[in-house]
Amino acid sequence: MGRLSLPIPCVWCAPVTKQLTLRMTSPRPPGKLAHWKTTGPGLVVIALPILIWLIRPIIPALGTALDFDSGGAVFAKSRLLFSYETIGGEHHSQPAIRNVQLLDLDNDSQLDILACDARLHEVLLYQRTTAGSWEGSLIADRVVAPANATVVDLDTDGDPDLVVSALGDLYPSEWFPGRLTWIEQAAAGVVHHVLMDNVRRIADAQPGDFDGDGDIDLVVAVSGFTHGRILWLENQGDQSFVEHELYVGPGATQVLVSDYDGDGDPDFAAAVLRQEGQVFGFENTGGGKFKRHTLFSTLNHDLRTGGLVRADMDNDGDDDLLLPVGGNPEDPFSGPQPYHGCWLLENQLDWKFENRRIAEFAGTCAAATGDLDADGDRDVVLVSMTNDWHRTDTASIIWLEHDGAFNFTPWQIASSPTHLFTVACGDLNGDGRDDIVAGGMHLSGPFNRTGRISAWMSRTVDE
């Protein structure tokens, strides 16, 4: 009897036959070890950064050279005494003061406080009353995220005007929200002139007669995200200005005008900290022309600053520069690092500046100078924006005692309020001792020690 063959329905046969054929003709799949060798490196690349991010807060310090998170900064308690004051109230649960300055705007021989509030979009003036309190007045409003307000008699008519640099956006942007406004004190009242508009974020503008024609020009720092530039505006004398571009690149945060080479005409320095991290000097060669010099340079892409400070630190008659580095308002998750602190760029003339690090301070954002201990030498005040604020003892403001030979001893003034972005020094109450004013920029938490505008008044033991 022959073999009986029964037809198998095609709907079952095809899949089974295909699987049997694949198993018989295909090579064996790789084993678990071979499979791990193929996929493992990719998983490690993905998982390792996440793991480090999770466990980093509990890793003990490995030493200064290897530390990737300094863990915050605490210093010895200040040997000088200060009393704390708040100025102008809080107004907002998360203040954002971009700049404070001390100047005598009304010529009454008392320093006033000029402040830019980038959260409320206001420029404010605080003046001390005869009773010792502070009275505030609105200088300009509806200025979106003002970065700086420069007092200058731009039309040379004898009264002070104001040039306001507006970011237009607190955070880096490639849009064109920036604006530069001249607020003129005219006979008929205050007149607003828009000098630049529809540009990237304007961080700073400073005056100088750069072409030697007798009127006041402006040098401007424009800071976008991956784009930016430095330019000077030539005053045409008829309330119009012509732009001259000097540098193209991101990260210009501040310009400081001075005669750095001692030849009698105004030069300027500029902090450009986004890519390599540099400070440039622009030498005025006459006729509105400039030659660029590199005064400071680093490959550290994480350095940020609240701005340069110009001061004659060695009393030799020329201006040196202070460069505070550390605070990064563009990164809400940035933390204290061992390379944060302050650099002194000592002017050697002929566009040579000797760079020396004078302080290590986590989250350093801004600096100011003053003779705090009244010994004739310029001391330095530093504030931090990104120290370890989850601790209650980490410093928000310190002063560096200068011995006159570039040796600096750090002293902690306070640990509250936190997130300080800007600072200035001067004698606020006329007692002959320098006081301190600082502004808070609270863009990230914790928000349990906020402060808008704060003052530390120098005092003696008996006061």
Side-chain angles (χ1 to χ4, degrees), residues 212-405:
D213 63 355
D215 52 28
I216 306 299
D217 311 304
L218 296 169
V219 59
V220 183
V222 180
S223 179
F225 183 59
T226 59
H227 296 81
R229 55 189 179 136
I230 298 172
L231 62 153
W232 74 281
L233 302 183
E234 181 183 358
N235 192 339
Q236 299 294 293
D238 56 356
Q239 298 184 348
S240 65
F241 292 78
V242 176
E243 297 183 15
H244 301 275
E245 193 169 77
L246 301 175
Y247 173 82
V248 176
T253 58
Q254 190 175 24
V255 287
L256 283 178
V257 177
S258 181
D259 183 9
Y260 291 101
D261 53 8
D263 64 355
D265 52 25
D267 315 298
F268 70 92
V272 182
L273 298 182
R274 183 177 298 281
Q275 292 179 338
E276 290 81 5
Q278 295 172 312
V279 175
F280 293 128
F282 288 82
E283 177 187 1
N284 189 339
T285 58
K289 304 296 182 182
F290 292 87
K291 180 180 179 181
R292 192 172 81 231
H293 303 270
T294 300
L295 311 182
F296 174 91
S297 183
T298 175
L299 294 178
N300 190 337
H301 290 207
D302 192 44
L303 290 185
R304 294 294 185 271
T305 182
L308 289 167
V309 175
R310 183 185 66 244
D312 184 3
M313 295 299 297
D314 49 6
N315 294 318
D316 64 352
D318 51 44
D319 279 332
D320 310 302
L321 295 169
L322 291 174
L323 175 64
V325 292
N328 188 354
E330 302 167 3
D331 179 6
F333 304 105
S334 62
Q337 302 293 340
Y339 47 79
H340 291 173
C342 186
W343 288 80
L344 168 63
L345 282 58
E346 182 192 355
N347 192 346
Q348 306 287 316
L349 293 181
D350 198 25
W351 292 102
K352 294 179 175 62
F353 283 72
E354 180 180 342
N355 301 334
R356 64 184 79 198
R357 194 179 187 200
I358 63 172
E360 179 180 330
F361 180 27
T364 307
C365 193
T369 66
D371 187 3
L372 296 180
D373 54 4
D375 65 352
D377 299 312
R378 298 198 71 83
D379 307 304
V380 179
V381 177
L382 300 176
V383 294
S384 172
M385 184 175 178
T386 55
N387 208 338
D388 184 358
W389 304 129
H390 294 283
R391 294 169 52 178
T392 59
D393 60 342
T394 50
S396 59
I397 179 169
I398 68 173
W399 72 283
L400 306 179
E401 182 179 1
H402 184 198
D403 68 354

Side-chain angles (χ1 to χ4, degrees), residues 82-105:
F82 296 89
S83 58
Y84 177 74
E85 295 183 12
T86 59
I87 297 172
E90 294 301 324
H91 295 290
H92 198 283
S93 60
Q94 298 176 22
I97 300 299
R98 191 62 169 68
N99 182 261
V100 292
Q101 300 175 58
L102 299 182
L103 68 169
D104 184 7
L105 194 59

Side-chain angles (χ1 to χ4, degrees), residues 40-112:
L43 293 176
V44 170
V45 169
I46 296 173
L48 188 59
I50 298 175
L51 182 63
I52 292 175
W53 179 76
L54 290 173
I55 69 173
R56 188 179 74 167
I58 63 173
I59 295 178
L62 301 177
T64 302
L66 299 177
D67 228 354
F68 54 77
D69 190 325
S70 68
V74 180
F75 302 90
K77 184 179 179 181
S78 173
R79 68 175 185 84
L80 300 180
L81 300 178
F82 296 89
S83 58
Y84 177 74
E85 295 183 12
T86 59
I87 297 172
E90 294 301 324
H91 295 290
H92 198 283
S93 60
Q94 298 176 22
I97 300 299
R98 191 62 169 68
N99 182 261
V100 292
Q101 300 175 58
L102 299 182
L103 68 169
D104 184 7
L105 194 59
D106 53 3
N107 292 317
D108 64 351
S109 299
Q110 288 189 332
L111 289 178
D112 310 312

